[in-house]
């Protein structure tokens, strides 16, 4: 039993470092070479442990596993000269691997201290190696660690990140390059580059979808984020003019030959509306005419993006009339936005600012009238539709001047 535990730990460590070799070599060449060399030694010991049960082989396995643990510690504890990514963030797969390696070291030492006959059962040994390899494949999938991602960059040319919002794909590597004259950082809960002096760079490979926000620990006002997708579709963040044409853009994995744009139907299913071949860097775009509220997604191979909503601006009109020292402001929205909230805003010339003066809800006909104080002449008003209904977007009316 103990022999199989040692064999499983050795095989798991070998497989994980083999799967992650491209990522190791891309991020830190020397560190990657160290782990690749260790994986080769471990693979040899796996073969020897199956075919031989001598104390020397067991001792070699224990020492090698211990060396893989000890060699990793300086890279997560200290900033090492010449290694821009140190100290490295401790990832789950690394923590799991080190725990298994330590378990193998413990079992190996017990076998050395209290030796017992270790029969050679090739069938059970092969099953152990296979199970360890499958577990390593789940913990560190080769598809994510195998260098299929693209290289993308963030420049620090001053006290800001450019771009400050970067969409990337799972498996992509982002490199921060400091072109400023001051030392900067890119600090996150998920990665830490340490201090980047002028001319230095830091790279990190993103293996899971999500939004990764970061900042400079020296200049706290510097903020950025990396948005990681399996397949990315990016649309306008705000409402868009009705009748306009917008561009939906995105990123697809490099091995995808075609990207399909799909529109969501009222019953929740999707209808294919267009297809395009992505560029060499995985980028693509679709022009879409805005005629009504709609939701789109893209499909690339067996992956699909999150839906993107297009929210057109309703037609919002306004009229004003004076009633003594008050103004009656009437607003109407088309299509009907009954129940939606509007704000009546007054222009303050001294501040170059539209000041909200009253909120109201559109009635059943999509219209509303409100009365506000207005003693002076020439006051400019507008209506601001804050929360539209039925997938329509925010919009503002043209200004109307009170006589």
């Amino acid at each position: 039993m103990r022999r199989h535990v040692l064999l499983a730990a050795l095989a798991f460590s070998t497989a994980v470092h083999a799967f992650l070799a491209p990522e190791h070599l891309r991020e830190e060449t020397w560190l990657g070479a160290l782990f690749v060399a260790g994986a080769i030694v471990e693979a040899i010991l796996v073969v020897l442990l199956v075919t031989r049960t001598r104390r020397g082989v067991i001792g070699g396995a224990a020492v090698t596993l211990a060396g893989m643990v000890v060699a990793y510690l300086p890279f997560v504890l200290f900033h090492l000269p010449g290694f821009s990514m140190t100290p490295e963030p401790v990832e789950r797969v690394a923590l799991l691997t080190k725990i298994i390696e330590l378990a193998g070291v413990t079992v190996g030492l017990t076998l050395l201290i209290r030796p017992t006959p270790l029969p050679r059962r090739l069938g059970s040994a092969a099953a152990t190696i296979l199970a360890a390899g499958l577990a390593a494949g789940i913990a560190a999938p080769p598809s994510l660690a195998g260098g299929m991602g693209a290289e993308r960059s963030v420049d620090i040319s001053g006290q800001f990140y450019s771009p400050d919002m970067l969409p990337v794909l799972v498996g992509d590597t982002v490199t921060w390059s400091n072109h400023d004259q001051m030392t900067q950082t890119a600090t996150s809960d998920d990665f830490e580059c340490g201090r980047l002096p002028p001319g230095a760079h830091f790279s990190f490979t993103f293996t899971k979808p999500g939004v990764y926000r970061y900042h400079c620990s020296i200049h706290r006002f510097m903020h950025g984020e990396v948005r990681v997708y399996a397949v990315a579709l990016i649309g306008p963040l705000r409402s868009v003019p009705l009748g306009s044409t917008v561009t939906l853009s995105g990123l697809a994995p490099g091995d995808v030959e075609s990207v399909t744009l799909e529109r969501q139907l009222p019953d929740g299913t999707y209808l294919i509306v267009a297809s395009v071949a992505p560029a060499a860097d995985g980028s693509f775009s679709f022009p879409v005419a805005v005629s009504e509220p709609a939701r789109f997604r893209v499909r690339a191979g067996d992956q699909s993006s999150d839906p993107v909503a297009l929210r057109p601006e309703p037609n919002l009109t306004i009229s004003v009339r004076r009633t003594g020292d008050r103004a009656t402001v009437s607003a109407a929205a088309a299509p009907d936005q009954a129940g939606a909230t509007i704000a009546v805003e007054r222009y303050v010339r001294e501040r170059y600012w539209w000041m909200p003066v009253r909120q109201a809800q559109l009635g059943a006909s999509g219209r509303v009238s409100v009365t506000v104080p207005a003693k002076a002449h020439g006051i400019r008003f507008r209506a601001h539709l804050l929360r539209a209904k039925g997938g329509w977007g925010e919009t503002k009316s043209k200004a109307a001047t009170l006589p």
Side-chain angles (χ1 to χ4, degrees):
M1 179 63 183
R2 287 183 294 169
R3 172 174 173 251
H4 287 87
V5 172
L6 177 59
L7 184 61
L10 203 60
F12 183 90
S13 178
T14 303
V16 165
H17 289 104
F19 292 155
L20 294 176
E23 181 180 345
H24 288 326
L25 292 170
R26 182 173 62 249
E27 292 178 350
E28 295 287 4
T29 303
W30 290 106
L31 177 59
L34 175 64
F35 284 127
V36 169
I40 294 173
V41 173
E42 287 179 325
I44 295 172
L45 287 169
V46 166
V47 175
L48 293 176
L49 197 61
V50 171
T51 58
R52 302 183 181 185
T53 56
R54 296 176 182 174
R55 290 172 59 88
V57 175
I58 296 173
V63 169
T64 302
L65 288 172
M68 295 295 274
V69 175
V70 173
Y72 180 66
L73 292 178
F75 294 95
V76 296
L77 297 177
F78 308 107
H79 177 68
L80 303 179
F83 295 90
S84 60
M85 289 189 65
T86 57
E88 284 191 349
V90 179
E91 299 178 349
R92 291 181 181 178
V93 61
L95 184 60
L96 174 63
T97 302
K98 298 310 157 186
I99 291 174
I100 292 176
E101 288 171 348
L102 284 173
V105 172
T106 303
V107 171
L109 291 177
T110 62
L111 286 173
L112 290 174
I113 295 172
R114 295 180 180 178
T116 57
L118 299 175
R120 289 181 293 176
R121 297 174 181 173
L122 298 182
S124 59
T128 300
I129 295 172
L130 179 60
L134 291 175
I138 295 172
S143 59
L144 297 184
M148 295 298 293
E151 299 284 340
R152 308 192 189 275
S153 61
V154 175
D155 290 332
I156 310 175
S157 300
Q159 294 182 10
F160 60 91
Y161 301 106
S162 179
D164 57 0
M165 194 287 286
L166 180 67
V168 304
L169 297 178
V170 171
D172 283 359
T173 298
V174 177
T175 298
W176 286 261
S177 299
N178 186 11
H179 300 299
D180 193 19
Q181 298 302 311
M182 304 177 65
T183 297
Q184 310 284 3
T185 78
T187 302
S188 168
D189 292 338
D190 301 279
F191 56 84
E192 168 60 67
C193 71
R195 298 171 69 88
L196 285 179
H201 67 275
F202 161 73
S203 296
F204 185 80
T205 300
F206 293 88
T207 60
K208 295 181 181 179
V211 177
Y212 297 79
R213 296 181 175 87
Y214 61 92
H215 65 277
C216 177
S217 60
I218 301 173
H219 308 99
R220 294 285 182 173
F221 55 86
M222 293 175 57
H223 293 271
E225 65 180 39
V226 178
R227 297 185 179 183
V228 185
Y229 307 89
V231 178
L233 180 64
I234 302 168
L237 299 178
R238 300 181 179 274
S239 52
V240 294
L242 187 64
S244 65
T245 298
V246 300
T247 299
L248 301 181
S249 59
L251 295 169
D255 57 346
V256 171
E257 297 181 357
S258 178
V259 178
T260 302
L261 180 68
E262 301 176 337
R263 178 172 178 167
Q264 190 175 34
L265 300 178
D267 62 0
T269 61
Y270 282 87
L271 175 69
I272 296 176
V273 295
S275 295
V276 69
D281 63 351
S283 62
F284 61 85
S285 62
F286 293 95
V288 177
V290 182
S291 59
E292 60 182 350
R295 287 167 64 87
F296 294 90
R297 74 178 184 186
V298 292
R299 181 171 291 278
D302 58 353
Q303 299 279 358
S304 60
S305 70
D306 293 334
V308 167
L310 287 186
R311 302 183 181 275
E313 299 174 354
N315 182 27
L316 185 62
T317 58
I318 187 176
S319 63
V320 297
R321 59 184 175 87
R322 176 176 292 280
T323 307
D325 59 354
R326 303 182 71 82
T328 300
V329 181
S330 299
D336 187 356
Q337 290 291 310
T341 302
I342 69 162
V344 175
E345 299 175 341
R346 172 180 174 175
Y347 186 66
V348 182
R349 287 179 293 181
E350 295 80 7
R351 298 184 180 180
Y352 305 99
W353 175 54
W354 286 95
M355 179 180 68
V357 293
R358 185 70 57 83
Q359 281 195 9
Q361 286 187 330
L362 294 172
S365 61
R367 298 174 177 272
V368 70
S369 294
V370 298
T371 302
V372 297
K375 295 182 179 180
H377 294 272
I379 300 175
R380 299 175 67 199
F381 291 94
R382 75 178 183 186
H384 184 177
L385 182 60
L386 301 176
R387 290 179 290 276
K389 302 289 186 178
W392 292 82
E394 175 187 0
T395 189
K396 302 177 181 71
S397 71
K398 293 183 178 179
T401 303
L402 181 67

